[in-house]
Amino acid sequence: MVRSSVLLAFICAVAAPLASAAAPATPAAPATAAVSSATPGPLAESLIITDTKVGTGKEAMAGAEVEVNYTGWLYRPLAKDFHGKQFDSSIGRGPFTFKLGAGMVIKGWDKGVQGMKVGGKRTLIIPSNMAYGSRSPSNDIPPNSALIFDVELLGVK
């Protein structure tokens, strides 16, 4: 179902310019600037978890303290690997530690990191309602944005 949603978004994006080209001529609209990457992209419908490397260490479970490296981007279905503009990363700053399932992070992380094993890597596509919703935590993340994170589980305590 998720793949069909991405496919539908792609078809709509391709079909729109073709449909407007086939439409009867109308007076030209004033030129506009390119769409800013600060506008929300198409919505992800549900949390999508993809293991890119399965770990072999201790499993992350609710209540455990986990240590991760991550990089976050705006989710853009038509971008390479769905990665839009990067807005944050722990790489170069040091790992991020939080208690899993305690609400210390967005819901998509609490659900998406659970079940990972140390040494594993996952890509999480997080719908707006499991991220920041209508709130905008920074100028880099517009309200109602779906996000994509690449997460590596470094430790579980």
Side-chain angles (χ1 to χ4, degrees):
M1 173 161 225
V2 171
R3 288 180 191 238
S4 63
S5 299
V6 172
L7 180 59
L8 180 62
F10 176 76
I11 290 169
C12 291
V14 171
L18 296 175
S20 64
T26 57
T32 58
V35 175
S36 165
S37 63
T39 59
L43 300 177
E45 295 175 8
S46 61
L47 177 64
I48 302 169
I49 300 170
T50 305
D51 284 310
T52 55
K53 178 183 175 189
V54 177
T56 57
K58 189 173 180 181
E59 186 174 335
M61 306 199 46
E65 186 174 283
V66 296
E67 181 178 49
V68 299
N69 268 331
Y70 70 90
T71 302
W73 291 268
L74 298 177
Y75 170 69
R76 297 295 185 257
L78 301 179
K80 183 178 184 219
D81 297 325
F82 313 119
H83 291 67
K85 180 182 176 190
Q86 181 180 322
F87 60 83
D88 193 15
S89 181
S90 66
I91 308 298
R93 287 194 325 238
F96 176 64
T97 303
F98 65 99
K99 187 173 183 178
L100 189 59
M104 296 174 65
V105 293
I106 59 176
K107 289 178 188 176
W109 270 43
D110 269 340
K111 290 188 182 247
V113 173
Q114 191 162 323
M116 285 183 79
K117 292 185 178 181
V118 173
K121 295 182 180 184
R122 277 189 177 168
T123 297
L124 306 174
I125 298 176
I126 303 174
S128 172
N129 66 329
M130 294 183 77
Y132 298 102
S134 61
R135 296 179 296 133
S136 178
S138 73
N139 290 335
D140 294 326
I141 303 175
N144 302 311
S145 290
L147 307 176
I148 185 166
F149 286 91
D150 289 325
V151 180
E152 177 182 14
L153 184 60
L154 303 174
V156 175
K157 296 178 187 172

